[in-house]
Amino acid sequence: MASDTPRLVFIKTFGCQMNVYDSGKMLAQLAHDGFEPTDEWRRADLVIVNTCSVREKPQLKVSSFLGPILQRKRDTGRPMVAVAGCVAQHDGAEFFRRYPAIDLVFGPDGVPRVRELVRAARQRRVLDDQFLEVADYPFVQDLVPSAQREVTGLVTIQKGCDNHCTYCIVPSARGVQVSRPLEQIIEEVRGLAVRGTRDFTLIGQNVNAYGAERGGRSRFAELLEAVHAIPEVWRLRFTTSHPRDMDPATIAAWSRLPRLASHLHLPVQSGSDAVLRRMGRQYTRAHYLDVVAELRRVRPEISLTTDFIIGFPGETRDDFEQSLALLEQVRFMASFSFKYSPRPGTAATRLHDREPVSAEEASDRLRVLQEVQQRIQQESNLACVGRCFEVLVEQPSRHDPNQWMGRTSCFRAVNFPAAPSMAGELVQVRITQANPHSLQGEVVA
Ligand code: SAH
Ligand code: SF4
Ligand code: F3S
């Protein structure tokens, strides 16, 4: 390798678990070229900003994050700067034009080719926003180089999305759905298991449609069975699920597979049929509630989390009340709620027959919904006090070095005093105190 070969790489990750996973895969591949990760961008020879465009806010963060890095680049000629991810996919050309100091721009499909892209960018500026061939999509098998044991691990099972939710930019950023071959998924799970991973999350934009692209039949339940059969998989999770694709075989998995975690993130987006229709979600409120009832029948202790979009064009006060009522009815353990953010090129921006909800009204509704969620969360945390849970010990608590953090099967975070030797172990923890966002407990024999 030439003496001027960059050695330290810094990756800043915005957005969802897909991006977290992709950033890991980039590190894994770049390690073959002698790159080592650093957490200080000022020391890095290569800075990659992995971007998210799902709402305007995360997209705006990209430019402000790039500011000082590009300044340094202009002043000193270093580091090499790459913009990757979802913003890069559809705004890449714009970034390239606007910031001459950027060396490399590539979308999510550039991840499997990151080594060649970085090499090429040492000779000339590179803009790569092409989607790869769907057949034989090269999912990266290399594992993230890691010195320490990671108790939890993500494993991608598909890329892209075949749905057309009218608000959503993801399909245009990540392309059509491509399912990863089952053997490759199993290989990755086994590889992580050897390193001590015990809690696995299968990830994709619509995992329930695994294998169902281009008219196929979903093979998701089959996949769950195969991964669950690996003995080191103490806990199995997946995200994200589309309510329309929660088929009976998948729901039945909670009765057949004991180590399938008692938690599901099932984004509902709205409690109003009129809004769901205009969002192109392809299910009704009643269907969603049926799925919830079925899930609770097969696994009574299952905890549910969700996403809401507030202030979608034409959302009336009554539509919003229906979201609130659904929240009260299902009593989600937690929910992520966002004000609708118009994304360029998406169908919702062309819903001209509908009045946009004013920014003030949307903020007001969001506040009301979040207050209700907060109350439900506190009530449900309080109800845990005195109960015992099986907790997988993950890592030292961020707030107190004498405490460890672990999760219950239903995805509640619990802090408790523990010996470092307990990391990666399953312990019984009695809950002693409920905080707004976590539980405090003590290990019982
Ligand atoms: N594939 C997943 C996640 C998509 S993005 C799914 O189908 O649920 C994650 C969340 O961001 C969505 O669930 C939605 O609640 C939110 N979101 C997506 N586009 C948005 C937009 N234009 N405005 C506001 N929130 C949005
Ligand atoms: Fe977006 Fe809908 Fe696909 Fe989720 S299912 S990524 S919300 S288009
Ligand atoms: Fe964002 Fe792309 Fe994920 S838009 S939410 S990083 S798929």
Side-chain angles (χ1 to χ4, degrees):
M1 250 180 278
S3 58
D4 61 344
T5 302
R7 308 293 301 186
L8 288 178
V9 51
F10 172 89
I11 306 188
K12 171 72 183 175
T13 308
F14 293 98
C16 66
Q17 283 159 318
M18 300 296 198
N19 267 11
V20 172
Y21 182 85
D22 283 351
S23 291
K25 290 296 183 182
M26 289 195 270
L27 286 180
Q29 295 177 86
L30 289 167
H32 295 296
D33 290 337
F35 279 101
E36 285 165 21
T38 169
D39 18 339
E40 289 171 63
W41 71 260
R42 277 168 222 281
R43 293 181 57 216
D45 304 286
L46 167 63
V47 170
I48 302 178
V49 186
N50 199 3
T51 61
C52 171
S53 54
V54 76
R55 286 172 294 276
E56 193 185 13
K57 238 190 219 161
Q59 176 149 355
L60 290 175
K61 284 191 204 153
V62 175
S63 297
S64 51
F65 185 79
L66 275 171
I69 300 171
L70 292 176
Q71 185 60 50
R72 186 185 177 96
K73 167 86 181 198
R74 283 189 293 265
D75 293 347
T76 68
R78 286 180 72 243
M80 178 187 278
V81 182
V83 177
C86 294
V87 182
Q89 182 61 43
H90 42 73
D91 276 353
E94 164 74 15
F95 262 92
F96 209 59
R97 252 194 320 274
R98 211 163 79 201
Y99 302 109
I102 292 178
D103 301 279
L104 170 60
V105 171
F106 60 101
D109 275 17
V111 169
R113 294 172 292 133
V114 65
R115 293 174 67 188
E116 57 182 277
L117 291 171
V118 167
R119 272 195 226 123
R122 296 177 64 209
Q123 315 300 326
R124 59 185 165 82
R125 301 181 74 211
V126 176
L127 167 66
D128 188 306
D129 54 5
Q130 60 176 323
F131 283 117
L132 295 179
E133 281 293 320
V134 165
D136 300 323
Y137 183 86
F139 288 95
V140 179
Q141 290 297 124
D142 306 73
L143 296 183
V144 187
S146 170
Q148 77 221 55
R149 176 175 192 184
E150 302 272 354
V151 179
T152 61
L154 304 174
V155 177
T156 199
I157 69 164
Q158 72 196 167
K159 77 138 215 144
C161 180
D162 283 347
N163 285 323
H164 305 279
C165 304
T166 56
Y167 51 80
C168 185
I169 201 158
V170 170
S172 80
R174 293 199 169 247
V176 294
Q177 179 179 312
V178 185
S179 295
R180 187 181 191 184
L182 193 127
E183 321 73 73
Q184 291 182 17
I185 297 169
I186 299 292
E187 183 190 313
E188 184 151 313
V189 171
R190 287 193 201 282
L192 291 170
V194 167
R195 294 174 164 196
T197 300
R198 295 293 177 263
D199 183 315
F200 293 85
T201 305
L202 308 179
I203 60 170
Q205 292 299 347
N206 182 13
V207 291
N208 303 66
Y210 175 73
E213 57 263 30
R214 285 156 289 286
R217 179 181 60 84
S218 169
R219 295 171 57 212
F220 186 58
E222 231 173 280
L223 171 68
L224 285 178
E225 193 113 25
V227 176
H228 187 273
I230 298 171
E232 291 86 356
V233 178
W234 291 357
R235 280 184 184 163
L236 178 55
R237 310 178 184 279
F238 52 85
T239 194
T240 310
S241 294
H242 192 292
R244 181 205 56 209
D245 295 323
M246 284 299 297
D247 57 345
T250 301
I251 295 175
W254 271 279
S255 69
R256 284 203 319 277
L257 310 177
R259 288 173 289 122
L260 186 58
S262 295
H263 168 239
L264 177 67
H265 183 64
L266 192 61
V268 66
Q269 315 299 359
S270 170
S272 151
D273 282 340
V275 174
L276 287 173
R277 195 174 330 108
R278 289 204 305 284
M279 286 179 167
R281 289 289 285 179
Q282 306 176 66
Y283 54 84
T284 59
R285 173 194 181 94
H287 173 80
Y288 188 91
L289 291 172
D290 282 349
V291 170
V292 168
E294 243 342 77
L295 286 165
R296 288 183 166 157
R297 195 181 61 76
V298 296
R299 183 70 72 85
E301 70 275 25
I302 198 165
S303 71
L304 299 169
T305 54
T306 200
D307 295 343
F308 284 103
I309 295 177
I310 304 301
F312 188 75
E315 182 191 76
T316 62
R317 191 76 214 175
D318 181 62
D319 291 324
F320 169 66
E321 300 281 342
Q322 293 185 45
S323 292
L324 270 187
L326 184 117
L327 166 57
E328 292 274 11
Q329 186 174 345
V330 178
R331 290 183 65 84
F332 294 101
M333 181 177 76
S335 63
F336 302 91
S337 41
F338 314 96
K339 266 194 280 182
Y340 168 69
S341 170
R343 305 315 294 136
T346 55
T349 59
R350 298 185 293 272
L351 289 173
H352 297 303
D353 57 326
R354 300 293 163 165
E355 277 289 301
V357 177
S358 75
E360 300 72 50
E361 179 64 22
S363 299
D364 209 45
R365 291 179 191 175
L366 186 67
R367 185 181 48 76
V368 171
L369 184 112
Q370 290 180 342
E371 279 169 8
V372 172
Q373 179 66 65
Q374 192 73 26
R375 170 175 56 73
I376 292 173
Q377 216 156 307
Q378 270 164 11
E379 288 166 0
S380 104
N381 279 353
L382 271 176
C384 294
V385 176
R387 289 178 58 196
C388 273
F389 290 92
E390 188 178 61
V391 169
L392 182 59
V393 187
E394 286 184 20
Q395 60 195 31
S397 152
R398 258 175 297 166
H399 310 291
D400 179 351
N402 300 314
Q403 300 268 321
W404 280 69
M405 192 283 282
R407 280 187 195 274
T408 64
S409 169
C410 54
F411 210 55
R412 293 175 193 276
V414 187
N415 292 304
F416 48 92
S421 60
M422 286 180 182
E425 297 298 318
L426 283 169
V427 295
Q428 288 293 324
V429 175
R430 181 180 303 112
I431 307 303
T432 53
Q433 193 187 316
N435 306 319
H437 298 287
S438 66
L439 299 168
Q440 180 67 40
E442 60 194 13
V443 177
V444 292

